[in-house]
Amino acid sequence: MDVITWYLEQRSPEALIPAKPPRLPVEVVRAEVPSPEFSRFLYTAVGGDWQWTDRLGWTYDEWMAYLTRPGLETWVAWHRGTPAGYLELDPQPGAQVEIAYFGLLPFAMGEGVSGHLLSVGTARAWDLASRWPDLPATERVWMHTCTLDGPAALANYRARGFEVYDERLNEPGDEDEGETPGPWPGARRPT
């Protein structure tokens, strides 16, 4: 199966176009305590239907090593005490911050939460050095998405002011859509 991957970026905080408030009220809060259990839950709950499989085999120690890196931040959208989605900021060399993972749990889709969470998370990428004094001020925020992600992903990123700087087509067979693992074996999103 051919898969198109788009790479998007912002080069200044002024590029961010905030979304309107979501229909589903949420509070976006930073998860300040590194928790492999919680991060793995978010990863599988959000990504299980979208071919997120690269971290499924990570051990507890691998998760902890990743989560305790300076500047790595997880921001969670909460609705009435329940996680609705999350965004992960990964600082990189050259004063860059990658939005490494971003997405919603199924109940929050279509409620305006995605644009709001992306707005808040992108703003936090731009001011990351204010919370991590050993990091340089952010000069670039970037992310990628592909045709295996949610159908509204690319439009949401563009609506928040991200611009496509690269597009790649994988060779047939490089990506296998196959069955998605769901948040746990045998789980599937309601249709």
Side-chain angles (χ1 to χ4, degrees), residues 105-175:
L105 277 80
F107 80 88
M109 293 179 182
E111 299 294 335
V113 175
S114 181
H116 177 69
L117 177 57
L118 184 58
S119 296
V120 171
T122 302
R124 297 298 65 84
W126 283 113
D127 66 15
L128 188 69
S130 70
R131 293 180 301 284
W132 298 89
D134 291 339
L135 293 179
T138 302
E139 296 178 10
R140 177 178 179 250
V141 178
W142 72 280
M143 61 176 22
H144 71 275
T145 189
C146 72
T147 50
L148 296 177
D149 285 340
L154 182 60
N156 182 31
Y157 303 154
R158 286 180 163 160
R160 302 289 69 79
F162 283 89
E163 295 183 5
V164 173
Y165 69 89
D166 193 12
E167 179 178 313
R168 298 181 190 167
L169 174 65
N170 295 341
E171 295 297 319
D174 283 355
E175 298 284 343

Side-chain angles (χ1 to χ4, degrees), residues 42-117:
L42 292 170
Y43 178 82
T44 58
V46 169
D49 290 322
W50 306 109
Q51 298 295 326
W52 293 10
T53 58
D54 57 316
R55 294 184 180 180
L56 291 179
W58 279 17
T59 66
Y60 182 93
D61 290 340
E62 288 171 315
W63 275 103
M64 186 58 84
Y66 179 76
L67 295 170
T68 56
R69 291 173 37 237
L72 193 288
E73 293 185 348
T74 302
W75 290 84
V76 183
W78 294 90
H79 172 67
R80 297 175 46 201
T82 303
Y86 84 111
L87 178 141
E88 190 178 270
L89 301 178
D90 183 6
Q92 299 179 343
Q96 301 181 66
V97 177
E98 179 185 7
I99 297 176
Y101 285 89
F102 169 74
L104 303 179
L105 277 80
F107 80 88
M109 293 179 182
E111 299 294 335
V113 175
S114 181
H116 177 69
L117 177 57

